[in-house]
Amino acid sequence: MPRLELNPNFTDPDAFYAALTDLHRECSEEESERINARLILLLANHIGDQQVLEEALAIAGRAAGSTDRQIDE
């Protein structure tokens, strides 16, 4: 059964963060929310596996409001 990759897996996390913040830089809050929704759906489609997506949803729901940098499973 596929599992969600929780270990760092970015080739260049700083470049991704910079691109993401640049994308939102001059957007309204509503535009930013739409961009995030589209990005989530694009990445969910890329993952494709329902169990992995449900695992991600569960972890994201538990981590909401948490300042932990590492998520233990």
Side-chain angles (χ1 to χ4, degrees), residues 6 26-28 37 44-45 47-48 66-67 73:
L6 297 175
E26 303 215 6
C27 293
S28 69
N45 183 68
I47 293 167
S66 173
T67 57
E73 280 295 301

Side-chain angles (χ1 to χ4, degrees), residues 11-68:
T11 55
D12 190 347
D14 292 333
F16 175 75
Y17 183 77
L20 183 62
T21 56
D22 284 347
L23 181 62
H24 288 272
R25 188 166 319 281
E26 303 215 6
C27 293
S28 69
E29 186 173 338
E30 185 177 311
E31 290 168 328
S32 286
E33 289 174 359
R34 275 188 283 204
I35 288 168
N36 285 338
R38 284 193 302 267
L39 180 59
I40 289 165
L41 292 172
L42 286 165
L43 294 174
N45 183 68
H46 179 74
I47 293 167
D49 186 282
Q50 185 66 26
Q51 288 181 314
V52 173
L53 294 170
E54 288 177 6
E55 183 181 0
L57 288 169
I59 292 168
R62 284 196 313 264
S66 173
T67 57
D68 294 342

